[in-house]
Amino acid sequence: MRPTLLALLFVLVSWPAVATAAQKVTVPVDVGVGPAVFVFSGPIADDQLLHTGLKLSVDAVLDKEWLRKNQRAIPARYRKQAKQMDEIRISPSIFIPDSFIISPRYRDTGMYGVTFKPLGLGLPLSSSPVRFKLGVGLVLTYAYIFSDTLPDTHFLRPGASLGADLEFQLAKSFLVSVGWESTFYVPQELGGLGLPDSLGDGIFHVGQAYLQLHFRFPYTTTL
């Protein structure tokens, strides 16, 4: 079933309510990690088109089986709606990085940085074993860009992301996903934190292609 506003309401409202129940539950946790390739807009792409890094994800996975076995952990008013959902994924912390930029200079320009995604929402269009998902989110990125041909830059900007992800469940505890994400930032000039004279002179878009290996394991916690 596709998530609706009700699904979002379940995550935002019922999960904190569950947290007051003080009971032990075992939740499947999905940890995904893998290589990523970044494409920066503007003069950086002219110097070096591709930059490397890592894509990271950590989610508690509340699937149909979990929701069925743990109905008592769900507030009574939401149990009927929970039965209709295929899966809910919840990130345990907004401080877990979404991606790392690790790109040594092999021509004239290199960079190192990190992106956080404090708010994200996914819309699955199919379910396992092959799961296709569209996603949007709000991000914050910092990257130190150093170059022989461009001004050294501390890139620090909020942005909004839009992406698509295709996930293959090869086993109950092992999955593989590939995806693309486009992030649009408040434009920043090179060499400073101000706005560029034109979009083509600064950084306003970063594209990211990635491959992730997902490992799932049970985690017991007190809610």
Side-chain angles (χ1 to χ4, degrees):
M1 177 181 178
R2 297 181 184 180
T4 62
L5 184 59
L6 184 59
L8 180 60
L9 181 64
F10 175 84
V11 172
L12 296 180
V13 178
S14 74
W15 188 257
V18 172
T20 64
Q23 57 182 301
K24 285 190 175 182
V25 296
T26 299
V27 180
V29 174
D30 183 299
V31 176
V33 63
V37 176
F38 301 87
V39 180
F40 276 68
S41 64
I44 293 177
D46 297 334
D47 174 75
Q48 183 173 318
L49 181 62
L50 302 179
H51 292 269
T52 55
L54 291 174
K55 180 75 169 178
L56 177 66
S57 63
V58 179
D59 294 297
V61 181
L62 311 184
D63 56 15
K64 269 189 172 182
E65 182 181 358
W66 191 94
L67 293 170
R68 178 177 57 82
K69 291 182 178 179
N70 295 272
Q71 291 188 40
R72 292 184 179 180
I74 303 170
R77 73 177 96 174
Y78 297 111
R79 289 175 187 172
K80 183 178 179 180
Q81 291 84 357
K83 290 179 181 179
Q84 300 173 356
M85 299 176 189
D86 288 332
E87 185 176 277
I88 301 171
R89 298 191 184 189
I90 305 171
S91 177
S93 174
I94 63 173
F95 299 106
I96 297 175
D98 178 77
S99 57
F100 294 93
I101 303 171
I102 308 170
S103 185
R105 179 170 50 201
Y106 73 81
R107 286 185 59 186
D108 296 315
T109 301
M111 64 180 72
Y112 297 96
V114 61
T115 292
F116 294 91
K117 185 181 290 185
L119 179 61
L121 178 63
L123 176 63
L125 301 179
S126 62
S127 57
S128 297
V130 179
R131 183 174 185 264
F132 179 71
K133 179 187 73 175
L134 299 178
V136 296
L138 299 178
V139 306
L140 177 66
T141 296
Y142 168 76
Y144 174 59
I145 302 168
F146 52 97
S147 176
D148 291 334
T149 58
L150 301 171
D152 290 352
T153 302
H154 292 277
F155 178 73
L156 180 61
R157 279 296 192 263
S161 66
L162 174 65
D165 182 276
L166 186 61
E167 183 181 83
F168 303 89
Q169 185 166 4
L170 304 181
K172 188 173 182 179
S173 59
F174 179 67
L175 305 88
V176 175
S177 65
V178 293
W180 172 267
E181 191 168 79
S182 285
T183 303
F184 298 89
Y185 295 94
V186 177
Q188 180 175 326
E189 64 183 351
L190 295 178
L193 294 173
L195 297 174
D197 294 333
S198 66
L199 287 181
D201 293 332
I203 303 169
F204 73 94
H205 172 261
V206 177
Q208 179 187 169
Y210 60 86
L211 166 69
Q212 278 189 296
L213 304 180
H214 296 260
F215 303 91
R216 289 188 179 179
F217 55 90
Y219 178 75
T220 300
T221 183
T222 300
L223 297 178

